[in-house]
Amino acid sequence: MTAELVRGQNHPLPRNRIEIRISAEAPVVAGATLADESGRVGGADRVAHPGAPTLPGIEVSRQAAAEHRLAVDLDALPDAVHRVSVLIALPDAPGGPSRFGAVAAPRAAVTGLDGTEVAGYTLAGLDAESAVVALELYRRQGAWKIRAVGQGYAAGLTALLIDQGLPQAAELARAIEDAVARGTARSVPARTTDTERSRRAAASVAGDHPGTAAGSPYDLQAPDTGRVRPGPSDGLGEAAPAPGGVRPPAPDAPGATGAATPTGGPVDYTHPKRRQAPSPTAPAAPAASAPADGPAPPVAGDAVGWSMDERLYNQVWGMFEDLARTTAAYRSAVDFAESRMEKELDQVLSDPRSRLGSVGDTAREAAQARQAQLVDQARAVLDRDLTQLTAESEVVEPALPPAYARWDNPVWHGYQVPTEPPMAVRLGDLHLPESVPLRIPMLVRLPLERGLWIDSGRTATSDGDFADSGELRHLALRTAVELAARLLAAHPVGEFGVQVIDPAGAAASALAPLTGTGVLAGPPATGAAGVADVLGRLTERVDLVQMAVRGGAPDALPPGLDTSRQLLIVNDFPHGFDDRAVTQLRYLADEGPGVGVHLLLVADLEDAAAYGPLLDPLWRSLMRLTPVPDDHLADPWVGHAWTYEPCLVPAGSQVLQQVLTQVATARAKYM
């Protein structure tokens, strides 16, 4: 899953050849500065811009555009370069916006060469600024990371370049503007705004099709993430299509499937990672013989992949994208119906002849009836898609392997310690208000790239259900324990260990499943001395492994050093932590995941309020989860607020004890 960054947050770069994609509502100028270890830019020859688009290791666009792709090869950068700042600015164009606050927030994303997004950052909160440093790539101890910056400058590009340490910033800013003005290539057309795209998509759902000129940005495109096929005559539109959508084929083109659309061509909603899986007991039939009254029955593993685990993983995330798409279309249709009714009512009220009397009442009733009809049509489309997704979920859930399955899945009763780690693990379930019964597994790739934080504080959801904060803290710790048990069960013997810091010793009862079966690497650490000992050992392990890997001598590690991945559970943070311990914990959060040390904090943000902004980078580096359902997770695709719900062991079930006992037995044989 793509990491969606917030301002100041950093993220490791898994590869050195990347693309930085900039998308904005209006044409912008994109560039980059190459700085030394102190953050200073040596001169104009260290700035890539439209007048000098190519430097060693980086290439930018030659003109202003609404979409940019910056090519970056970190291995080709000069050795003296330790920081690459990606900047965007509004050009001085007649009729164009003069500040970012006048347009939708731009977005910067780091992708692989294949287009796979690594991290993204939406530059929200800009107002008078006309130039901004969006992202920063920086080298730290030989490894490259990305940081979301979002530093804006109301005085424009000149002020930005001055802040970068350039002695002739004004001259360079003028040269960049001149290069943009001389550009012969036409700027990429401005991207369709979410509001206007949503209104057009909603109109297509409702059967109200505004005309568009051929070749305009509003031509309906098939999303690269939708899989739910429309019915024979729905003409389903799409809200906020994913970038890179493929234009639908002509009706007579090979592979043209789906419903006719307002633009005259069919939309193929087949997910690109799906493959048509015929029934194992029947020969494959041509597409023309498919039933005309609906889609084919769902099949578990109906996606591409080298293994069944990978196919199921791709299928689950395809279901997630489908639910996001169809919900976005429904919400857009409802918004369109409401705005249309308001417009019609305004027209009635603006005419004195129809404002009063039976004519006005008839017009109001007609507008309200039209609005209800549009909403009903949109709801029918949503219900149809939810029915299909629910049917797929009912097939997929029983087929999931243990790492992906809920604790009440029968697959756990046949659990065997694996010989290979899975590609992902289930952290919980996701759902939207319009589809409460339908739960999508939240699968996260392994090894974990970020630590986890179980928020034991009150949320908007929990205030009405938990009068006692102690009960909420206990549930948060239980969630952490069951996540740790899942991670232990998902890994082969000897490849994953769990350590616990419980400064006050208050978690004894919740930790009983781990301590009672003997699967912990050692007894829970208590007191200040225990905290210092565990953090010291893990910090030393991170340092040693980093030095060995970067020195090209992984075999030179001290004998007896445990190189298996480690999960550190910290209960009731920051109780029992001094300043040194807090610094070590932040270090583990930043550097640990790259060398196999992962954090799982159980903490209430209010308990750490005394530290002020010192701990802000720590909280941002962790993925926040809650022990009760809470809608705090947002996807960068369409911006829905998803409700997260943890997967807990059913009351009275012995499955957790049985699984951990098998893990402990296998470990005893291994040792």
Side-chain angles (χ1 to χ4, degrees), residues 214-233:
S216 74
Y218 303 108
D219 287 347
L220 190 62
Q221 295 180 340
D224 63 355
T225 48
R227 302 171 301 127
V228 178
R229 293 184 179 272
S233 59

Side-chain angles (χ1 to χ4, degrees), residues 489-544:
H491 285 80
V493 178
E495 293 190 13
F496 196 87
V498 176
Q499 302 187 45
V500 177
I501 290 179
D502 183 23
S509 60
L511 292 172
L514 300 177
T515 56
T517 54
V519 295
L520 293 179
T526 58
V531 172
D533 177 61
V534 172
L535 293 179
R537 284 189 286 106
L538 289 178
T539 301
E540 181 183 19
R541 178 194 183 281
V542 170
D543 290 338
L544 290 173

Side-chain angles (χ1 to χ4, degrees), residues 438-507:
L438 177 62
R439 300 293 199 269
I440 304 296
M442 180 181 174
L443 303 182
V444 176
R445 292 291 295 266
L446 293 178
L448 297 173
E449 294 183 356
R450 300 174 63 187
L452 304 175
W453 163 32
I454 311 298
D455 190 354
S456 59
R458 292 184 180 275
T459 66
T461 307
S462 65
D463 281 346
D465 298 331
F466 290 85
D468 183 8
S469 61
E471 183 181 356
L472 193 59
R473 290 174 184 268
H474 178 80
L475 187 58
L477 187 55
R478 176 190 168 190
T479 302
V481 168
E482 294 181 11
L483 277 176
R486 181 181 292 270
L487 287 166
L488 274 170
H491 285 80
V493 178
E495 293 190 13
F496 196 87
V498 176
Q499 302 187 45
V500 177
I501 290 179
D502 183 23

Side-chain angles (χ1 to χ4, degrees), residues 135-500:
L135 299 173
E136 179 182 86
L137 311 178
Y138 64 97
R139 195 198 313 251
R140 181 172 181 179
Q141 297 181 350
W144 285 92
K145 291 187 175 184
I146 181 174
R147 177 183 290 119
V149 180
Q151 177 63 54
Y153 298 84
L157 193 57
T158 300
L160 185 153
L161 296 175
I162 290 174
D163 201 30
Q164 294 279 318
L166 282 163
Q168 298 179 336
E171 291 82 353
L172 180 57
R174 285 196 295 270
I176 294 175
E177 289 288 353
D178 291 343
V180 172
R182 293 194 308 268
T184 56
R186 179 174 60 87
S187 294
V188 177
R191 200 175 47 166
T192 309
T193 65
D194 289 342
T195 302
E196 194 156 5
R197 181 190 290 117
S198 297
R199 290 173 66 87
R200 291 179 178 270
S204 66
V205 173
D208 194 58
H209 313 313
T212 54
S216 74
Y218 303 108
D219 287 347
L220 190 62
Q221 295 180 340
D224 63 355
T225 48
R227 302 171 301 127
V228 178
R229 293 184 179 272
S233 59
D234 289 321
L236 180 63
E238 178 208 353
V246 180
R247 197 171 298 279
D252 56 349
T257 58
T261 69
T263 55
V267 178
D268 184 359
Y269 284 95
T270 305
H271 193 277
K273 294 182 178 179
R274 301 296 292 273
R275 57 187 177 85
Q276 194 66 27
S279 169
T281 60
S289 65
D293 57 348
V299 178
D302 186 14
V304 298
W306 292 102
S307 65
M308 178 56 77
D309 280 8
E310 185 177 0
R311 294 198 294 271
L312 287 169
Y313 175 85
N314 289 334
Q315 185 173 15
V316 166
W317 279 112
M319 294 164 60
F320 171 87
E321 292 171 357
D322 285 348
L323 182 56
R325 176 197 59 79
T326 191
T327 304
Y330 170 72
R331 292 179 179 179
S332 298
V334 172
D335 291 342
F336 173 78
E338 292 287 345
S339 63
R340 177 174 180 146
M341 181 181 68
E342 292 175 2
K343 182 179 179 180
E344 292 177 352
L345 292 177
D346 288 342
Q347 291 175 347
V348 172
L349 295 175
S350 64
D351 188 351
R353 294 171 299 178
S354 61
R355 188 178 302 165
L356 300 174
S358 60
V359 176
D361 293 339
T362 302
R364 292 186 187 91
E365 292 174 359
Q368 293 169 353
R370 175 64 172 166
Q371 183 264 349
Q373 180 186 12
L374 297 180
V375 172
D376 290 343
Q377 290 178 1
R379 184 70 211 192
V381 173
L382 175 65
D383 290 342
R384 181 207 61 204
D385 289 350
L386 291 180
T387 299
Q388 184 174 341
L389 283 171
T390 301
E392 186 171 12
S393 176
E394 291 172 352
V395 171
V396 170
E397 278 284 359
L400 295 176
Y404 300 178
R406 297 178 59 89
W407 286 109
D408 57 1
N409 192 312
V411 72
W412 283 107
H413 296 289
Y415 168 78
Q416 297 292 329
V417 178
T419 57
E420 293 183 359
M423 68 179 299
V425 71
R426 186 173 189 160
L427 297 185
D429 293 333
L430 299 172
H431 65 86
L432 293 170
E434 292 85 353
S435 58
V436 173
L438 177 62
R439 300 293 199 269
I440 304 296
M442 180 181 174
L443 303 182
V444 176
R445 292 291 295 266
L446 293 178
L448 297 173
E449 294 183 356
R450 300 174 63 187
L452 304 175
W453 163 32
I454 311 298
D455 190 354
S456 59
R458 292 184 180 275
T459 66
T461 307
S462 65
D463 281 346
D465 298 331
F466 290 85
D468 183 8
S469 61
E471 183 181 356
L472 193 59
R473 290 174 184 268
H474 178 80
L475 187 58
L477 187 55
R478 176 190 168 190
T479 302
V481 168
E482 294 181 11
L483 277 176
R486 181 181 292 270
L487 287 166
L488 274 170
H491 285 80
V493 178
E495 293 190 13
F496 196 87
V498 176
Q499 302 187 45
V500 177

